[in-house]
Amino acid sequence: MASDLSDSEHWAGEYLSPNLPLLSDTQIKLARMLVQEGQIHLFENWPKPGVRDADKLRFFEQVAKLDISYPGGLTAYLQNARKLLADSKAGKNPFSGYVPSVPDGVKLVHGDEKFMQYEEAGVKEAQYSAFVLVAGGLGERLGYSGIKVALPSETTTENSFLQLYIKTILALQDASSGGQNQAVKPIPLVIMTSDDTHKKTDQLLKENNNFGMLPDQVVLLKQEKVACLSDNNGSLALDPSNSFLIQTKPHGHGDVHSVLYNSGLLTRWQHESRKWVLFFQDTNALLFKGVPASLGVSVLKDLDVNSLAVNRKAKEAIGGIARLTHENGSEMVINVEYNQLDPLLRSTGHPEGDINIETGFSPFPGNINQLIFKLSSYIKELAKTHGAIVEFVNPKYKDASKTSFKSSTRLECMMQDYPRTLPTSAKVGFTVLETWLAYAPVKNNPEDAAKVPRGNPPHSATSGEMAVYKANSLILRKAGVLIEGPKIESYNDQEVEVWPRIVWSPKWGLTFSDVKKKVKGHCQISQKSTLVIDGEDVTIDGLALDGALFIRAVACAKVNIQSLHVSNDAWKIIPVDSADNSVPEKIRIRGFKLELHGQQLLLFHQPRQCNITNVSM
Ligand code: UGB
């Protein structure tokens, strides 16, 4: 039945009312809803029918999309916005009534017996897991023009972050299913994209045959943006360059829960007997080094939620994991975001705020936003919430009166806030890993990274790459290899430790026990060296390396290297000016490039046994 528009002048006003006959019944309902929610200003400049009619219909298409993609629709969004904006104006602390304290978690030391037991349990269980990468962020802080997952995780192999992640999941899949002779169950990977990243992520996967994953093993799910707000009344903001378009901005990585809920994948995974969902972020090349052991912690402690954490430097831009105890006695273990931790501490009897203690770190473990959820309890919770997550708003006010904003704002949500709505019976824990092993995100552009106080990690492309070499050097050291210590160098005005450039494929060294099994005898590697091992079944029993050595072996080749001496001029690290536009952006943001002066390649193309014994090269 067509809508009755006889009273339209009364509710739709002088500009919208004459245009209502252009709209469908559904669009008229949306128009009524907008007016009821105080949004009549959106139509202030609408011309009479016949002028820009296509724009008017497009406007309502956008409104319909905004309405459907938010749990509870636009009405709920606007109601939540008004409440959060009022709280923000009143300076209300989102954790008011709670007192923070340092919670207990599992602390792991890489390579010790406990670590290896957890790793073993985690690898066994990985076949019952699914991975979710949140990659909808544009990376404004990094200022890189492409998608972040396409960046090289390091420039020795130039393997991108996405390639590294997928290869590691595939290695876990094989190891978990008991090796290549067993029936292998594909481990699913979901990538949450946004309008900013979707096409390029899809293209990257297509161009590289999903880096080895099956076509339906990796699924892209796009998050939608949310409407911007221009004032404390929650007035929707129009795009400054198009008055028929509501301005939108990302809602945050917390969308991943509603996106997964709506996809229907969670129940499919349950039918496939999956038990764990592992969430991770876009640019941390070390992240999988802690995954097997941390999954083992979830399994052995039967945790509903396990957040991975590292030691946190005070004021470092990573959230702090805290136990929050409410006046009424209830408790939760939750991430307190980096911009909220200091004010919360100051308002609860810690006038010094977010500071380091005698250990040189903040007492609160730093959240690295790798989360492991038990699928059964996750599904139960999402049946209640539909994936909606506690939101926040962060308007930049023009002045202390807090009456107007410098630019429009929007509601945001974070995936690590999921436990906030869980019942107190839920088992929420965390696992603290050593920073060198598990955390080196690439988030900051060279200028901002150079301003990070000395001693705090710059979280840049420079530090992210150097951290890969350091982690691999330290792991080999623990496995008994003599590794020369690092040189301290400065690139893009950031001081970094430069260790030998050691990289291996995930199939070679997925866990510490893999590495220990594959390196034997007397092995030593000098600081100027590069060592790349790409092949599953390569053992090294005695090596003196002072130069660059690349060992690449096809699947099923069994390579045994004994007493090998390699000496050459290696790859040199050459500083690059971050402002030099003639250098590719992915290199400029590191402040250095690698230059070939000498190398030894050992390539094994045939799937057969090869022994290299007592050779000097
Ligand atoms: N992301 C999305 O997928 N969609 C979005 O709308 C926004 C982001 P940032 P930030 O581990 O280092 C997080 O921007 O502010 C993806 C935690 O909140 O890098 O540094 C995006 O693509 C913080 O507690 O997050 O803070 C990326 O993969 C701390 O743990 C991810 O979400 C910190 O990360 C994170 O986006 C950290």
Side-chain angles (χ1 to χ4, degrees):
M1 197 181 74
S3 291
D4 175 11
L5 299 177
S6 54
D7 66 340
S8 69
E9 284 249 6
H10 175 63
W11 64 268
E14 99 179 80
Y15 299 104
L16 175 60
S17 173
N19 283 294
L20 289 175
L22 298 172
L23 307 181
S24 68
D25 283 0
T26 317
Q27 289 169 329
I28 291 171
K29 263 193 202 146
L30 289 171
R32 254 185 205 276
M33 176 273 291
L34 286 174
V35 175
Q36 273 162 7
E37 292 297 329
Q39 308 296 334
I40 200 151
H41 65 281
L42 295 171
F43 308 101
E44 253 162 27
N45 295 314
W46 275 33
K48 57 185 192 278
V51 183
R52 303 197 64 177
D53 289 350
D55 286 334
K56 294 168 192 167
L57 294 178
R58 258 196 300 275
F59 172 87
F60 272 101
E61 275 165 29
Q62 187 199 14
V63 172
K65 196 165 151 192
L66 289 169
D67 190 52
I68 203 159
S69 49
Y70 186 83
L74 257 180
T75 313
Y77 181 75
L78 292 166
Q79 285 167 1
N80 293 342
R82 282 192 290 268
K83 179 173 179 317
L84 287 166
L85 286 163
D87 287 352
S88 168
K89 186 169 182 223
K92 201 166 158 190
N93 184 325
F95 294 115
S96 100
Y98 284 99
V99 175
S101 59
V102 180
D104 295 323
V106 175
K107 286 202 170 94
L108 294 183
V109 176
H110 176 266
D112 73 6
E113 211 174 304
K114 199 165 94 179
F115 184 89
M116 291 184 22
Q117 280 164 1
Y118 280 127
E119 269 200 331
E120 199 186 330
V123 169
K124 266 195 203 139
E125 194 77 355
Q127 59 189 310
Y128 306 113
S129 61
F131 284 82
V132 180
L133 165 61
V134 288
L138 192 53
E140 280 161 338
R141 277 200 273 155
L142 182 62
Y144 175 62
S145 59
I147 49 167
K148 289 185 282 172
V149 289
L151 271 172
S153 53
E154 33 73 24
T155 51
T156 294
T157 66
E158 296 216 324
N159 288 340
S160 65
F161 283 105
L162 190 55
Q163 179 172 5
L164 173 69
Y165 296 158
I166 290 185
K167 293 284 181 203
T168 314
I169 295 170
L170 290 173
L172 258 176
Q173 174 182 298
D174 281 347
S176 189
S177 329
Q180 281 165 349
N181 300 326
Q182 305 296 315
V184 172
K185 275 207 271 172
I187 297 179
L189 168 66
V190 166
I191 306 178
M192 184 174 79
T193 56
S194 66
D195 277 330
D196 295 327
T197 62
H198 186 83
K199 269 199 195 137
K200 286 183 178 168
T201 310
D202 191 39
Q203 196 183 346
L204 181 66
L205 285 165
K206 287 203 172 107
E207 282 169 3
N208 293 283
N209 289 325
N210 293 334
F211 297 106
M213 278 197 167
L214 299 170
D216 55 357
Q217 188 174 1
V218 45
V219 175
L220 302 195
L221 298 175
K222 187 153 75 79
Q223 66 174 138
E224 297 298 337
K225 292 184 178 173
V226 286
C228 291
L229 308 153
S230 57
D231 58 31
N232 283 327
N233 299 323
S235 304
L236 291 172
L238 286 169
D239 191 296
S241 59
N242 181 349
S243 58
F244 291 90
L245 191 67
I246 294 172
Q247 200 181 12
T248 58
K249 284 188 182 167
H251 189 218
H253 38 72
D255 274 350
V256 73
H257 303 300
S258 60
V259 164
L260 274 178
Y261 174 78
N262 291 328
S263 73
L265 282 170
L266 298 175
T267 36
R268 190 206 290 179
W269 292 344
Q270 202 171 36
H271 290 140
E272 292 169 357
S273 304
R274 302 200 177 276
K275 296 186 211 156
W276 308 100
V277 190
L278 291 90
F279 297 85
F280 61 105
Q281 302 199 147
D282 53 15
T283 55
N284 177 11
L286 300 184
L287 67 86
F288 276 94
K289 294 199 185 288
V291 162
S294 307
L295 178 56
V297 170
S298 282
V299 175
L300 297 176
K301 305 242 167 231
D302 193 33
L303 295 178
D304 290 301
V305 174
N306 181 10
S307 302
L308 277 51
V310 294
N311 279 332
R312 175 180 182 278
K313 286 275 183 189
K315 312 213 164 47
E316 189 178 346
I318 64 176
I321 296 183
R323 181 191 298 114
L324 298 183
T325 308
H326 198 262
E327 291 154 354
N328 65 16
S330 66
E331 271 188 7
M332 59 180 170
V333 173
I334 194 84
N335 170 71
V336 179
E337 199 57 341
Y338 44 89
N339 54 348
Q340 290 169 348
L341 186 60
D342 187 80
L344 177 64
L345 287 166
R346 286 177 196 279
S347 66
T348 51
H350 306 274
E352 56 301 338
D354 179 14
I355 50 158
N356 291 327
I357 54 170
E358 60 285 358
T359 56
F361 293 99
S362 154
F364 295 94
N367 163 50
I368 61 172
N369 244 12
Q370 282 173 248
L371 310 167
I372 305 178
F373 292 179
K374 193 197 283 172
L375 179 61
S376 54
S377 53
Y378 184 46
I379 288 183
K380 236 190 230 165
E381 179 65 10
L382 261 49
K384 283 190 257 156
T385 63
H386 296 190
I389 290 294
V390 175
E391 293 170 302
F392 62 97
V393 70
N394 190 13
K396 307 278 178 284
Y397 297 107
K398 272 195 183 144
D399 55 44
S401 71
K402 294 190 175 178
T403 44
S404 48
F405 308 159
K406 283 185 190 157
S407 60
S408 65
T409 188
R410 84 290 196 182
L411 301 192
E412 294 176 75
C413 60
M414 301 187 293
M415 66 174 173
Q416 65 271 34
D417 276 338
Y418 164 78
R420 284 176 73 170
T421 54
L422 285 179
T424 44
S425 56
K427 287 178 84 173
V428 180
F430 62 93
T431 304
V432 183
L433 298 151
E434 291 149 289
T435 313
W436 65 264
L437 177 73
Y439 187 60
V442 174
K443 296 198 184 219
N444 289 327
N445 60 54
E447 296 71 37
D448 291 343
K451 286 186 217 143
V452 169
R454 208 169 262 196
N456 273 20
H459 296 172
S460 64
T462 319
S463 61
E465 172 156 359
M466 291 302 172
V468 173
Y469 306 138
K470 175 174 178 172
N472 288 338
S473 295
L474 291 180
I475 293 171
L476 280 191
R477 251 192 194 175
K478 289 198 174 195
V481 179
L482 295 175
I483 306 266
E484 191 181 349
K487 278 192 179 159
I488 306 293
E489 303 280 2
S490 180
Y491 302 106
N492 279 353
D493 294 326
Q494 300 154 53
E495 229 171 55
V496 281
E497 289 179 12
V498 183
W499 290 77
R501 272 65 69 207
I502 299 173
V503 186
W504 58 72
S505 57
K507 280 201 142 216
W508 184 79
L510 184 66
T511 60
F512 185 54
S513 60
D514 288 339
V515 174
K516 270 187 29 168
K517 270 185 235 143
K518 289 175 177 170
V519 188
K520 298 178 240 178
H522 180 84
C523 296
Q524 64 183 62
I525 299 176
S526 68
Q527 189 275 338
K528 77 167 199 199
S529 297
T530 290
L531 172 64
V532 173
I533 309 171
D534 181 10
E536 184 177 354
D537 206 347
V538 176
T539 39
I540 300 178
D541 184 356
L543 170 71
L545 177 60
D546 184 32
L549 172 64
F550 289 73
I551 307 168
R552 295 193 195 278
V554 292
C556 299
K558 197 170 166 49
V559 177
N560 185 27
I561 291 175
Q562 265 184 317
S563 305
L564 176 67
H565 289 248
V566 175
S567 171
N568 56 50
D569 286 338
W571 285 74
K572 297 210 161 116
I573 304 182
I574 311 293
V576 158
D577 181 355
S578 68
D580 180 354
N581 287 339
S582 68
V583 177
E585 195 184 5
K586 64 183 182 187
I587 299 296
R588 257 186 286 141
I589 58 173
R590 286 159 216 274
F592 63 83
K593 63 177 180 188
L594 302 178
E595 200 172 79
L596 177 60
H597 287 251
Q599 64 178 0
Q600 185 62 54
L601 304 180
L602 293 179
L603 308 176
F604 303 91
H605 298 298
Q606 304 296 328
R608 61 171 185 232
Q609 176 140 0
C610 300
N611 294 314
I612 299 217
T613 311
N614 276 324
V615 181
S616 286
M617 296 172 162

